[in-house]
Amino acid sequence: MNTNQTVKINRSQKCFIDALLTLMQRKPYEEITITELSECAQYDRRTFYRHFKSKDDVLCLHCATLLNEMAVITNQKGQLTPYSGFLSYFEFWTKHKSFLCLLDEHNLLNFLGNKQEYLLYQYVGKLVHDDLPDELSENSEFSQYAYFFTQGGLWYTLVLWVRTGMKQSPEQLTKYILNSFTQMTKLML
């Protein structure tokens, strides 16, 4: 496993993440100030600005640590196949349902979605596949389009799943996705 992509956070960064998630349970994200965040984390504003430029950076770091955790779990499952990859994705997000629901409650699911392209490549793809280039743009044109097609499908399936109460199991969602590929292939032949 390529460990140079592992996300490492220190104690103060963890406190800021925890503080942001706590405050998001109490009030709208856009109303949370850096002063409130610092007070809740029990650090001063200077410490905040030592690590972050904005509260979005705190949220982005949390998303990166989550996706890094997803990579470790996926990597432990052995050979990555479409089935195991999709299943791992939905099993992982099942464990973090409350975070997804919190993002949705604050209209921030798109925040994660907008970061997913980079974060999944850096913190999942490169940990699971040691041979990937450093940047997504360094892959072949076909690989880039295939990556975006797959990530877009996974992302919008996740959004629909969250917004409809996450009732289906990860196994069922994985079967839906794989069956959709099978159906598309039949239509093309």
Side-chain angles (χ1 to χ4, degrees):
M1 183 164 94
N2 183 356
T3 55
N4 66 349
Q5 290 300 317
T6 301
V7 177
K8 293 185 170 116
I9 61 171
N10 64 34
R11 182 177 174 274
S12 59
Q13 289 170 316
K14 174 80 170 105
C15 287
F16 281 111
I17 289 169
D18 292 344
L20 180 61
L21 296 176
T22 297
L23 289 169
M24 286 174 67
Q25 292 173 15
R26 297 182 195 155
K27 65 190 300 187
Y29 180 79
E30 62 274 359
E31 292 179 15
I32 298 170
T33 66
I34 301 306
T35 299
E36 283 178 293
L37 189 52
S38 298
E39 288 172 2
C40 187
Q42 298 182 346
Y43 283 94
D44 60 25
R45 288 170 50 96
R46 283 185 314 206
T47 304
F48 176 88
Y49 286 112
R50 189 174 307 129
H51 300 292
F52 307 105
K53 292 179 184 170
S54 68
K55 64 186 174 195
D56 286 358
D57 289 348
V58 178
L59 195 54
C60 188
L61 179 60
H62 183 56
C63 292
T65 60
L66 287 175
L67 292 174
N68 189 239
E69 180 187 332
M70 179 193 297
V72 171
I73 291 167
T74 301
N75 208 29
Q76 291 171 344
K77 292 189 177 210
Q79 177 81 27
L80 185 65
T81 65
Y83 181 84
S84 67
F86 297 154
L87 183 62
S88 291
Y89 182 82
F90 293 114
E91 285 176 340
F92 177 80
W93 286 117
T94 298
K95 293 176 187 170
H96 296 282
K97 177 181 180 177
S98 61
F99 177 64
L100 290 173
C101 292
L102 187 62
L103 288 179
D104 191 38
E105 190 179 307
H106 289 270
N107 296 312
L108 289 170
L109 268 178
N110 283 336
F111 179 90
L112 177 59
N114 291 338
K115 304 287 184 195
Q116 177 174 266
E117 163 202 330
Y118 170 78
L119 294 173
L120 275 175
Y121 186 80
Q122 291 298 321
Y123 298 110
V124 178
K126 289 179 68 182
L127 279 170
V128 174
H129 297 287
D130 289 341
D131 59 344
L132 287 178
D134 287 342
E135 299 297 325
L136 179 59
S137 61
E138 295 170 5
N139 284 283
S140 70
E141 183 177 3
F142 169 79
S143 294
Q144 290 178 54
Y145 276 98
Y147 176 81
F148 278 93
F149 177 80
T150 305
Q151 294 315 316
L154 279 173
W155 172 250
Y156 284 106
T157 301
L158 181 70
V159 169
L160 177 62
W161 190 40
V162 169
R163 292 187 175 156
T164 58
M166 298 176 84
K167 297 172 189 149
Q168 299 81 5
S169 69
E171 292 83 4
Q172 185 62 54
L173 291 171
T174 299
K175 288 177 185 174
Y176 286 164
I177 290 171
L178 293 175
N179 286 340
S180 71
F181 286 127
T182 303
Q183 294 301 317
M184 282 190 287
T185 303
K186 287 180 185 177
L187 291 172
M188 289 186 268
L189 297 178

